Amino acid sequence: MKKYAFAASAATIALAVSGQAFAQESDAFSTALADGAVTELAPVTVTTPLRRPTTVLQSTSTVTVITEDDIEKSAAPDLPSLLKRYPGVNITTNGGQGATSSIVLRGASASQTLVLIDGMRVASATSGTAYISNIPLSSIARVEIVEGAHSAEWGADAIGGVVNIITKDGSTCENGASVCTTVETGVTYPWGGYGTVSTRGVSNSGVNFNIGLSLLGTEGYDFTTADNSVHEDGRDGFLQGAFNFALSKDFLWGRLYTSGLYVRSNPHFDSAPYADWMTGETVYGANEADQTNAAFKVGAEVDHSDTWSSVFELYSAFDYQKNFRDGHPEADTHYDTNRYGLSASTTKEIQAGAALNTFTLGAEAYRETVDSSVEYTETARDVAAVYGQYGLELDALTFNAGLRYDYDEQFGDAVTYNVGLGYELVEGLTARASFSTGFNAPTFNDLYWAYDGSYVGNPDLEAETSKNWEVGLNWAPTDTAAIDLVYYENRIDDMIAYVSDPVTYIGTMENIDKAKVSGVRATYSQMLFDDRLGLDFGFEYRLPKDETDDVYIANQNRLKLTAEASYAATEKLNLNAGIEYVGSRWTNADNIEYTNYAQYQLGAYTLVNLSAIYAIDETANVKFAVENLFDEEYQTAYGYKAPGTTVTLAYRRTF
């Protein structure tokens, strides 16, 4: 760990490099390192908001960036625990490590939030959600979170926003060598441990590479509450192995690259046996799974000139889940998704006087296939799209616009667009506004589930659609402070909801609901004491309303407060502390107190997290971290206990 690892600039704070993520950043700030040197930081570049490299302010969107340094300093043992401490992000988990988790942005559902790995969509085509618990922190270089509808850039499922998880590449070695190997091992409570090894660098032939392996295991705890109908006594453990790689090489004409992530795990969960209501026989369901997730791509970037480049990519991603119970083969089920895709885009910059015009044209296509123990009337679908984006930079003005056409052989076509405007009112104070549309494709479960006696899919479903607008201000009053404030509204139409026939009680899905999610989100960051102390605060209040029935959307919190402090106590010791408060939320769509429900609301909770990193020398450190210091008892999903106190002690060394 470098001795200035916790000294951060206001720009870096604004992008969540030292704790609480900020939505925007100013053009550049200078930072005073612990040794007194001053380094000018260039604007941080992101690719997710407009599907091309821009600074955060140029994107005119609300953006959060989580860096590799953030991950290292965090007390979080897994990806869901890391993401949930950021404003605008809502995480629901059915237990601890390895449990099913979902991510929600701006009150949209998990299937309305697009999750990518290195720009590749990885969600299950049957459930419509990504298994984020199976993406190890050890493989992640950064996470870009973009809020609001972004279907004009990425297509289906980007109603609430996009989470792009970017894996590690062959970045510069910490010890200054051309090639280095980093080893980390740790123990955790509840009892478990992990080990990672990665080698990265640049070969003599100019190949930039990274290869990583990780293994994690924990005995876990009993995930479910006693009143949960699936409750079984006993701990729910988790075992995970992962491999990731990245290779690239620069040429005079451009760059060739490839990357991949493969993860396999064995999560345990509760599924209590029950008596069949007709026969009285005991029915056993699966209580553990083999979960496999992977994403691979190969690409080429061609530089036609200094102002014109094109990108071509092929990718494959899959989500395999096999559920089983030892000794009961009748409980076996599997849900496998395969996705194969290709994309091409070209970007041209044209300078016209003081105006910089950027044009992007692109096309992509992918095929989804499903193989399952459950019968589906259709098992494949093809999707194709073309899109265009335009950007203008003229003095204090930034303008973005985009248009996309998607064709899905299952539900037809969709046209989406985005418009964004930013203007620097005075030095350091920038106003922004944007409007965008989105859509969410129905899942295979929604569409094609064959009749099983109680439920049948509806092949006539249409896509859910949305309109999102936001206005915001970003202000850097000094070189060591930054403030961001945004108000947003997201309207969702034709929401897919479960309905049941009043006579036959046979259920299906229909487009019937409307929702409106509005909210205000604010963040503030400040560096003090010669940049030794960094403070970050976040606030979000939102109203997730089902307008069809004029009630709050179930399982959506309305208030979230966060605070982070990062302190360079000495040149070797760095301390971090964080507090997260989440308000209460309804567990039922009617927002009423059911007498037969043990809980009709999930209560508010407050979490305190701590971490300390001590640099033994320039190449080695030890880390002590505690998540949920005061062992707060809380739930993010009804009937499932969230993790209690989690302690990690780790050692890391780079050779």
Side-chain angles (χ1 to χ4, degrees):
M1 174 70 72
K2 295 181 180 179
K3 62 182 179 180
Y4 54 81
F6 279 42
S9 70
T12 309
I13 299 171
L15 287 165
V17 175
S18 92
Q20 195 58 56
F22 235 53
Q24 304 290 319
E25 48 90 13
S26 296
D27 285 343
F29 292 92
S30 63
T31 180
L33 303 179
D35 58 5
V38 177
T39 301
E40 190 76 14
L41 294 184
V44 176
T45 300
V46 292
T47 58
T48 308
L50 297 175
R51 207 162 177 170
R52 59 179 171 84
T54 62
T55 66
V56 176
L57 278 181
Q58 290 169 340
S59 74
T60 64
S61 297
T62 301
V63 181
T64 297
V65 178
I66 307 171
T67 68
E68 188 174 347
D69 187 49
D70 293 324
I71 296 171
E72 181 182 352
K73 293 185 297 184
S74 170
D78 58 6
L79 182 57
S81 299
L82 175 73
L83 296 176
K84 68 183 177 65
R85 68 189 183 102
Y86 291 92
V89 180
N90 187 43
I91 298 292
T92 300
T93 60
N94 292 351
Q97 281 188 275
T100 302
S101 299
S102 60
I103 179 170
V104 165
L105 301 178
R106 290 203 171 166
S109 68
S111 64
Q112 296 167 345
T113 301
L114 178 61
V115 176
L116 308 170
I117 295 179
D118 292 334
M120 298 173 281
R121 54 180 62 236
V122 294
S124 164
T126 56
S127 68
T129 60
Y131 205 106
I132 61 172
S133 296
N134 210 32
I135 304 175
L137 291 179
S138 61
S139 67
I140 301 174
R142 61 196 270 125
V143 181
E144 295 180 1
I145 303 172
V146 187
E147 298 178 44
H150 281 271
S151 289
E153 295 83 12
W154 294 99
D157 312 336
I159 281 180
V162 181
V163 180
N164 192 6
I165 300 162
I166 301 168
T167 58
K168 293 179 178 179
D169 59 12
S171 301
T172 304
C173 290
E174 295 175 355
N175 59 4
S178 59
V179 177
C180 58
T181 296
T182 299
V183 176
E184 182 172 353
T185 183
V187 293
T188 61
Y189 173 84
W191 298 115
Y194 68 92
T196 69
V197 58
S198 65
T199 299
R200 70 166 110 183
V202 181
S203 70
N204 293 333
S205 60
V207 176
N208 183 297
F209 67 92
N210 177 80
I211 300 174
L213 293 168
S214 67
L215 182 66
L216 179 151
T218 174
E219 67 177 6
Y221 62 94
D222 193 349
F223 288 169
T224 56
T225 59
D227 59 349
N228 191 321
S229 61
V230 300
H231 175 72
E232 290 183 293
D233 290 331
R235 296 176 178 268
D236 297 307
F238 181 56
L239 180 64
Q240 178 194 75
F243 166 70
N244 65 281
F245 72 90
L247 299 169
S248 67
K249 182 174 174 60
D250 292 331
F251 300 90
L252 292 177
W253 52 265
R255 184 170 69 103
L256 287 175
Y257 57 91
T258 183
S259 65
L261 172 67
Y262 178 91
V263 190
R264 185 167 183 176
S265 63
N266 175 219
H268 290 236
F269 50 90
D270 287 357
S271 179
Y274 63 93
D276 184 275
W277 69 277
M278 293 185 65
T279 66
E281 296 181 355
T282 301
V283 178
Y284 291 90
N287 62 0
E288 57 182 303
D290 284 334
Q291 177 71 39
T292 305
N293 295 90
F296 306 98
K297 74 175 177 180
V298 59
E301 182 176 349
V302 180
D303 297 325
H304 308 289
S305 69
D306 291 341
T307 59
W308 182 22
S309 64
S310 299
V311 177
F312 306 90
E313 290 186 348
L314 298 172
Y315 81 90
S316 174
F318 54 84
D319 179 298
Y320 296 163
Q321 184 179 59
K322 177 185 177 182
N323 305 305
F324 61 94
R325 178 188 286 266
D326 288 342
H328 294 275
E330 71 277 8
D332 292 0
T333 59
H334 70 276
Y335 301 88
D336 299 342
T337 294
N338 285 284
R339 188 176 290 110
Y340 306 93
L342 66 146
S343 66
S345 66
T346 186
T347 299
K348 173 67 175 176
E349 294 182 347
I350 300 175
Q351 188 79 44
L356 176 60
N357 302 272
T358 304
F359 299 88
T360 299
L361 295 175
E364 64 178 327
Y366 60 90
R367 180 174 178 82
E368 292 178 334
T369 62
V370 169
D371 179 36
S372 174
S373 54
V374 174
E375 185 178 354
Y376 292 88
T377 56
E378 297 285 345
T379 58
R381 64 180 172 190
D382 296 321
V383 178
V386 293
Y387 62 91
Q389 292 282 330
Y390 168 71
L392 169 66
E393 296 173 51
L394 177 60
D395 297 326
L397 175 69
T398 299
F399 175 76
N400 295 302
L403 182 68
R404 178 176 170 123
Y405 170 79
D406 282 84
Y407 173 76
D408 187 308
E409 68 170 345
Q410 167 261 310
F411 66 81
D413 54 13
V415 176
T416 51
Y417 59 92
N418 68 285
V419 179
L421 182 68
Y423 191 81
E424 189 175 24
L425 303 172
V426 296
E427 185 177 358
L429 178 62
T430 300
R432 72 183 188 274
S434 64
F435 180 85
S436 56
T437 62
F439 76 99
N440 180 44
T443 68
F444 275 75
N445 287 352
D446 295 335
L447 294 162
Y448 303 131
W449 189 287
Y451 178 62
D452 61 6
S454 61
Y455 176 80
V456 63
N458 180 1
D460 297 324
L461 286 173
E462 297 180 356
E464 301 170 310
T465 61
S466 73
K467 296 178 180 178
N468 180 91
W469 67 270
E470 65 178 74
V471 292
L473 286 172
N474 178 258
W475 184 34
T478 69
D479 287 347
T480 60
I483 300 169
D484 190 80
L485 176 66
V486 63
Y487 174 82
Y488 62 84
E489 284 191 7
N490 197 13
R491 293 182 177 271
I492 306 172
D493 294 329
D494 296 323
M495 287 183 64
I496 297 172
Y498 175 84
V499 296
S500 178
D501 187 283
V503 177
T504 65
Y505 299 106
I506 297 173
T508 189
M509 310 302 287
E510 290 186 4
N511 296 99
I512 57 173
D513 283 351
K514 294 178 180 290
K516 174 186 173 183
V517 182
S518 58
V520 61
R521 181 182 184 276
T523 50
Y524 168 72
S525 292
Q526 176 75 60
M527 294 299 295
L528 300 169
F529 307 126
D530 296 325
D531 290 349
R532 295 174 64 88
L533 175 64
L535 300 175
D536 302 278
F537 302 93
F539 163 83
E540 184 182 30
Y541 181 76
R542 63 185 178 190
L543 296 174
K545 295 296 291 289
D546 181 339
E547 292 194 312
T548 302
D549 298 317
D550 192 28
V551 292
Y552 290 112
I553 298 173
N555 301 311
Q556 292 283 350
N557 60 275
R558 299 187 292 280
L559 177 62
K560 187 172 185 179
L561 303 171
T562 60
E564 298 276 342
S566 182
Y567 180 57
T570 69
E571 289 189 352
K572 290 189 174 184
L573 178 62
N574 300 283
L575 305 174
N576 296 274
I579 300 175
E580 173 191 352
Y581 171 85
V582 177
S584 62
R585 52 257 185 250
W586 292 98
T587 61
N588 62 79
D590 298 322
N591 295 180
I592 61 175
E593 300 181 19
Y594 287 124
T595 57
N596 58 335
Y597 271 40
Q599 288 180 281
Y600 53 89
Q601 275 195 345
L602 297 180
Y605 59 88
T606 302
L607 303 179
V608 177
N609 308 312
L610 303 174
S611 69
I613 300 178
Y614 181 78
I616 300 172
D617 54 37
E618 293 184 353
T619 62
N621 65 55
V622 291
K623 174 182 177 180
F624 178 75
V626 182
E627 187 179 60
N628 193 0
L629 175 66
F630 297 109
D631 202 25
E632 177 92 338
E633 294 184 4
Y634 68 104
Q635 300 176 36
T636 60
Y638 172 68
Y640 293 90
K641 295 179 287 187
T645 300
T646 302
V647 181
T648 301
L649 179 63
Y651 172 79
R652 177 177 177 175
R653 185 173 184 86
T654 299
F655 302 92

